[in-house]
Amino acid sequence: MPISRATSLWRSAADHFEPDDDVDPKAQRQLRGQLEQIDYAAYAANKKVLGGAIGKAEAQQFERLALATAVARTQWVAASLAATERGHALTRDQVEHLAHLRTAYEELTEVYDAMRRMVERGYLTYAGPQAAED
């Protein structure tokens, strides 16, 4: 039966497949080499496409995303508190408005996390505050 193992601190257990321990060691090495080639192809493609489209990930971009995410969360929570202030059931319009605000917050959170992963995996070069000031 195949098992999954985490190969780094940041990868989930389902991120990469590794064969059973019962498989021939030579076959395991060969498969592992093939999988590394596949992983490298994905890495190279991501680095080329993302680097070409986004360039460098700059500290100011992360700050703007973090601020926009904080504002979106604040709007969602503030609207929720305002809508429930009188203790009445929410109207359809109120629920739709809250869903819109929540979706905006969740989307911004996902973008922030995705961009952070891009830097972590080496797809984008990070230009921190020091690099931007030089």
Side-chain angles (χ1 to χ4, degrees), residues 47-109:
K47 187 170 176 106
K48 179 180 179 181
V49 173
L50 291 166
I54 298 172
K56 291 183 178 179
E58 298 180 1
Q60 297 88 349
Q61 293 170 317
F62 280 100
E63 288 171 13
R64 286 192 306 266
L65 275 172
L67 180 60
T69 304
V71 168
R73 181 187 340 209
T74 300
Q75 290 173 340
W76 174 43
V77 171
S80 298
L81 293 172
T84 59
E85 194 171 81
R86 296 184 186 194
H88 298 283
L90 298 181
T91 65
R92 178 176 298 214
D93 288 342
Q94 288 174 313
V95 171
E96 287 175 2
H97 180 66
L98 292 176
H100 169 74
L101 293 173
R102 178 183 42 80
T103 301
Y105 162 66
E106 289 173 349
E107 286 299 320
L108 287 166
T109 299

Side-chain angles (χ1 to χ4, degrees), residues 12-29:
S12 68
D15 204 19
H16 290 277
F17 169 79
E18 289 194 17
D20 283 334
D21 292 334
D22 296 337
V23 177
D24 175 45
K26 183 178 177 182
Q28 281 186 6
R29 283 190 301 277

Side-chain angles (χ1 to χ4, degrees), residues 111-127:
V111 170
Y112 182 92
D113 290 342
M115 196 162 157
R116 186 182 182 287
R117 264 190 317 279
M118 290 174 204
V119 171
E120 177 185 326
R121 292 180 177 176
Y123 303 152
L124 294 177
T125 302
Y126 177 68

